[in-house]
Amino acid sequence: LVCSEEPKTLAEAERIVSIGKAHAWQVTDIKETEQRRAPYAPFTTSTLQQAASTRLGFSPSRTMGAAQKLYEAGHITYMRTDSTTMSAVAVQSILACIAKEYGKEYVEQRTYKTKSKSAQEAHEAIRPTHIGKRSAGTTDDQKRLYELIWDRAVSSQMADAVMKRTKVVANVSGSTESIPDFSANGSRVLFPGWLAVDTRARGEDVEVPPLTPGD
């Protein structure tokens, strides 16, 4: 929770803390808006390096070393590419996999355009060569990177996630002294869509439970 008014003095801050600790809290207001969250495009070299750094803690050289081995073993397409396009055959294979594993309501075929005008599109986006292979690689680095690539390729062809963006406002109850409102912003998943596959992307949002004023 964040205080709606920044205390101007230490004494005021201490007063707010003291009252807050001494009383029960309740929800005073809730503002909700529905929002759709679209999946990410399949990986290019640069986006693979960024995601591997953020999610796996890999340096670019560590990422490319593992990707090179996966490519040489035939598990992924060429790992040096600026393209976000996947072949028609690969897309159809992915769509069939999604329908079978998650249901037709999760399927949404998408085409991604490469943003860079100077992009080298001789190669596809980085994707698994066989979508039916959920795990691949001989080392932990390779296996973790392959999972990241599989998740991104498959989730790129899935329906939007539907979220409830929520602002919860709360204050103390039963106090003779007033303090500023406190609020928290977060979201609630109504339909997971592509987040059912790319579950780590779900953690990028603060999730709040269903609440009503008075709770």
Side-chain angles (χ1 to χ4, degrees):
L1 289 171
V2 177
C3 189
S4 60
E5 298 174 23
E6 186 175 343
K8 292 181 171 57
T9 65
L10 176 61
E12 174 62 8
E14 289 175 341
R15 184 187 75 86
I16 292 171
V17 170
S18 177
I19 293 172
K21 286 182 175 180
H23 295 84
W25 285 73
Q26 69 177 22
V27 175
T28 58
D29 190 26
I30 293 177
K31 296 179 176 68
E32 289 190 317
T33 55
E34 190 169 300
Q35 188 177 60
R36 304 181 77 86
R37 188 175 168 193
Y40 299 110
F43 281 130
T44 62
T45 302
S46 61
T47 57
L48 175 64
Q49 291 176 344
Q50 290 164 17
S53 173
T54 302
R55 297 189 182 184
L56 305 179
F58 288 7
S59 66
S61 60
R62 185 176 174 184
T63 297
M64 297 312 290
Q68 178 77 40
K69 294 298 184 184
L70 288 169
Y71 170 69
E72 290 173 355
H75 297 312
I76 63 170
T77 53
Y78 193 54
M79 67 287 163
R80 295 198 179 276
T81 178
D82 294 322
S83 175
T84 53
T85 302
M86 297 189 293
S87 73
V89 172
V91 170
Q92 290 307 310
S93 177
I94 290 171
L95 296 176
C97 173
I98 296 166
K100 179 182 177 183
E101 297 295 328
Y102 297 94
K104 291 183 178 179
E105 69 272 22
Y106 283 82
V107 175
E108 186 171 332
Q109 185 172 348
R110 300 172 186 265
T111 301
Y112 297 90
K113 293 184 178 180
T114 303
K115 295 178 181 178
S116 173
K117 293 180 180 178
S118 60
Q120 298 295 314
E121 297 213 31
H123 301 284
E124 288 185 67
I126 303 169
R127 63 166 177 83
T129 51
H130 302 289
I131 293 300
K133 187 176 288 186
R134 191 66 184 85
S135 178
T138 56
T139 66
D140 185 58
D141 275 14
Q142 291 171 32
K143 290 175 181 177
R144 293 172 71 196
L145 191 67
Y146 179 85
E147 182 182 4
L148 197 66
I149 293 168
W150 193 95
D151 288 352
R152 181 62 66 93
V154 172
S155 65
S156 75
Q157 300 301 311
M158 296 180 73
D160 288 353
V162 182
M163 327 281 289
K164 274 281 191 189
R165 292 289 177 190
T166 306
K167 180 179 181 179
V168 179
V169 182
N171 209 311
V172 295
S173 60
S175 173
T176 55
E177 291 187 70
S178 64
I179 62 172
D181 285 335
F182 280 68
S183 64
N185 293 294
S187 64
R188 188 155 44 91
V189 177
L190 300 181
F191 173 68
W194 64 279
L195 292 176
V197 167
D198 194 356
T199 55
R200 281 172 288 197
R202 185 167 175 161
E204 293 165 8
D205 278 322
V206 175
E207 293 194 29
V208 295
L211 294 166
T212 56
D215 287 351

